[in-house]
């Protein structure tokens, strides 16, 4: 009985150690995404700067593009704006999906579209505007359907509206060259 009392905690410790050790060799930016090789979920969301314009997944088909989930409140998103602007200047089509933080009326927070538009316009003027359009997902419906866990996240969408790649984290020169450039270029052909 004493040997069993020793081996149970030892086996648990060993199992936990193997699990944690395997995590040392995983890439936190890579994860299995349930939306890969599936059509972009159906949506009808307004343009952030022109709310009378409604974007749907059908309107975005015809050319491959990057769908970049971002927000002005996101420090990493702000850091990637300059490089994304360079990519746009090179001909890469990038569409912004604005991740609106939830408002809490109990704390006096009320969603104000005019303030948000002004904040976004100022941020993009200061740091570069890589976006062809900015879609506002105020209620985070598309964001939830895509399985977004935070910002920034970027999806590579082909001309038929199929999600081909999902990247968690910022897009920088290293990420672009190692993970996205070849995939994007192959979709343009």
């Amino acid at each position: 009985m004493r040997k069993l009392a020793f081996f149970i905690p030892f086996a648990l410790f060993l199992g936990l150690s193997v699990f944690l050790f395997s995590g040392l060799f995983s890439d936190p930016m890579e994860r299995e995404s349930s939306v890969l090789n599936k059509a972009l979920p159906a949506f009808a969301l307004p343009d952030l700067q022109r709310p009378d314009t409604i974007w749907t997944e059908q309107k975005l088909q015809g050319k491959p593009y990057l769908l970049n989930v971002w927000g002005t409140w996101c420090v990493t998103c702000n850091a990637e704006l300059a490089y994304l602007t360079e990519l746009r200047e090179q001909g890469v089509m990038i569409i912004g999906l604005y991740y609106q933080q939830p408002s809490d009326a109990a704390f006096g927070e009320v969603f104000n579209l005019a303030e948000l538009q002004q904040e976004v316009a100022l941020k993009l003027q200061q740091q570069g505007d890589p976006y062809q359009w900015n879609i506002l997902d105020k209620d985070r419906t598309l964001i939830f359907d895509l399985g977004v866990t935070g910002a920034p996240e970027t999806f590579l969408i082909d001309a038929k509206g199929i999600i081909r790649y999902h990247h968690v984290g910022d897009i920088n020169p290293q990420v672009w060259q190692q993970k996205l450039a070849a995939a994007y270029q192959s979709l343009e052909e």
Side-chain angles (χ1 to χ4, degrees):
M1 190 65 169
R2 289 189 114 166
K3 287 183 179 182
L4 188 61
F6 170 76
F7 284 111
I8 289 176
F10 180 71
L12 289 173
F13 171 76
L14 190 61
L16 181 63
S17 297
V18 168
F19 172 75
L20 293 175
F21 186 73
S22 66
L24 291 175
F25 301 101
S26 65
D27 183 354
M29 300 300 180
E30 295 294 324
R31 65 183 191 126
E32 292 296 318
S33 179
S34 62
V35 296
L36 285 181
N37 299 315
K38 294 182 181 174
L40 190 63
F43 67 90
L45 295 169
D47 187 286
L48 177 61
Q49 298 298 348
R50 296 178 312 276
D52 294 338
T53 302
I54 302 297
W55 293 105
T56 66
E57 71 284 359
Q58 289 95 4
K59 285 185 179 181
L60 300 179
Q61 291 181 4
K63 183 179 178 186
Y65 60 93
L66 298 178
L67 182 65
N68 180 250
V69 179
W70 78 290
T72 56
W73 49 267
C74 168
V75 176
T76 308
C77 301
N78 295 332
E80 78 175 346
L81 284 174
Y83 186 68
L84 289 176
T85 302
E86 286 180 34
L87 291 178
R88 180 181 181 178
E89 291 167 356
Q90 295 171 19
V92 175
M93 184 171 173
I94 305 171
I95 298 171
L97 179 59
Y98 192 85
Y99 190 135
Q100 175 61 32
Q101 292 281 59
S103 301
D104 191 341
F107 292 105
E109 298 174 359
V110 179
F111 176 74
N112 184 319
L113 180 59
E115 282 181 16
L116 178 62
Q117 289 171 326
Q118 189 175 22
E119 182 182 351
V120 166
L122 181 62
K123 179 67 68 180
L124 296 178
Q125 180 184 9
Q126 291 172 342
Q127 296 184 293
D129 184 357
Y131 305 114
Q132 257 71 11
W133 307 285
N134 250 312
I135 298 170
L136 175 61
D137 194 1
K138 180 178 174 265
D139 298 321
R140 298 173 309 285
T141 54
L142 179 56
I143 285 170
F144 288 142
D145 289 345
L146 289 170
V148 171
T149 57
E153 291 191 26
T154 302
F155 297 85
L156 174 59
I157 316 289
D158 71 14
K160 295 179 182 175
I162 306 298
I163 300 168
R164 297 299 177 187
Y165 190 80
H166 179 189
H167 176 74
V168 177
D170 69 318
I171 302 296
N172 56 50
Q174 181 181 356
V175 168
W176 178 253
Q177 289 304 319
Q178 291 179 356
K179 299 180 179 182
L180 283 165
Y184 183 84
Q185 290 163 355
S186 73
L187 294 177
E188 281 197 309
E189 298 169 354

